[in-house]
Amino acid sequence: MTYYDEFMAGHLVLPHALLEHFAKIFPSSEDFLIWLYFYENRDTLPSEIARKIGKSLPEVNHSITSLQNFGALKVTLVELNGDVETIFDVSPAFKHLDDLSGSNPLTGAENQEEGQLKELVGVFEAEMGMVSPMQVDELRAMLFEDKYDLNLIKLALREAVLNRKLSLKYIKGILRNWHNDGITSVQAAENRENQHQESKSATGHQDFYIPMDGPWN
């Protein structure tokens, strides 16, 4: 039986392989702690977890979102008798563990892509706060469909921060303009900016002639 099958059967002890592949399954050790509470009892309330570990509810909710984005947790809203119940499902982590353990191993290229996406999500979260699953899909598209360079996307994010227009729409606009101008690397973008600054400096310091025999004499 696979790890997922053992979990669904209700008699799985956390395997050593989970620690072996920890960094590929969980965003961070703090997020893993949140995941453990749901592993023990999927009906545990986020507010209860926050109280037990001495964190704020927004911090716990941020970890839940990170676990969702990373594919270690599935959150489902179910309506029962007019009430909405939230179900926290930890089984995706075991499906991922099965993949990593050999039943359906990721290729080297796929591992590299996931690593790039994880890095990019982390950079955006540092500037924008919580990144939604829809936004993660947009970032994935920038990397692997539009084929924008990872560091170029980071540079576009920095431009958006400096201009105080922090939105994915604005950032995609920057990338699109660069692409139309033939700029596909950070070096190319920085070279153009340097040329722009040099041009402004030269224009601002041009000598100009003042006639000495004007009508004011």
Side-chain angles (χ1 to χ4, degrees):
M1 295 178 69
T2 65
Y3 290 117
Y4 176 75
D5 292 334
E6 292 281 1
F7 170 75
M8 296 305 291
H11 48 74
L12 176 70
V13 176
L14 288 180
H16 173 73
L18 198 70
L19 300 179
E20 188 72 19
H21 299 291
F22 183 92
K24 297 177 181 177
I25 300 174
F26 301 103
S28 70
S29 56
E30 290 189 358
D31 296 332
F32 172 64
L33 177 60
I34 305 302
W35 181 90
L36 276 178
Y37 276 92
F38 292 125
Y39 169 77
E40 181 185 39
N41 180 8
R42 73 176 189 178
D43 295 324
T44 301
L45 296 175
S47 58
E48 183 178 357
I49 297 175
R51 178 182 59 79
K52 289 180 178 178
I53 65 175
K55 297 285 187 179
S56 67
L57 182 56
E59 288 176 314
V60 172
N61 287 335
H62 184 272
S63 287
I64 291 172
T65 299
S66 295
L67 289 165
Q68 283 184 275
N69 293 338
F70 211 68
L73 183 71
K74 181 179 180 181
V75 180
T76 305
L77 300 178
V78 179
E79 186 174 348
L80 297 173
N81 300 322
D83 295 325
V84 177
E85 180 181 349
T86 305
I87 298 176
F88 299 96
D89 179 11
V90 301
S91 67
F94 295 111
K95 287 184 178 180
H96 193 185
L97 181 59
D98 286 329
D99 293 337
L100 295 171
S101 298
S103 60
N104 185 24
L106 293 174
T107 65
E110 287 172 334
N111 275 325
Q112 184 178 7
E113 287 185 356
E114 288 303 313
Q116 287 183 332
L117 181 60
K118 177 184 176 183
E119 179 181 348
L120 190 60
V121 170
V123 171
F124 270 73
E125 283 189 333
E127 297 293 347
M128 300 175 64
M130 190 177 299
V131 175
S132 70
M134 185 176 296
Q135 289 172 323
V136 172
D137 288 340
E138 290 188 68
L139 294 178
R140 187 189 300 275
M142 287 184 202
L143 280 171
F144 309 127
E145 294 178 20
D146 300 326
K147 303 295 184 181
Y148 290 125
D149 178 75
L150 172 63
N151 291 321
L152 194 65
I153 299 174
K154 292 181 183 178
L155 183 61
L157 171 63
R158 190 178 73 183
E159 291 289 321
V161 171
L162 292 175
N163 292 325
R164 297 182 180 180
K165 295 182 178 179
L166 198 53
S167 71
L168 284 180
K169 182 178 180 181
Y170 185 78
I171 291 167
K172 286 191 286 188
I174 293 174
L175 291 168
R176 186 166 52 251
N177 289 339
W178 283 344
H179 178 77
N180 292 338
D181 291 341
I183 296 173
T184 58
S185 69
V186 170
Q187 187 63 54
E190 291 179 343
N191 287 343
R192 191 180 75 163
E193 179 61 22
N194 290 336
Q195 292 172 359
H196 180 64
Q197 292 299 328
E198 289 174 1
S199 176
K200 286 176 58 179
S201 177
T203 302
H205 291 85
Q206 283 183 341
D207 293 331
F208 54 93
Y209 172 70
I210 302 177
M212 300 303 296
D213 55 348
W216 46 85
N217 287 338

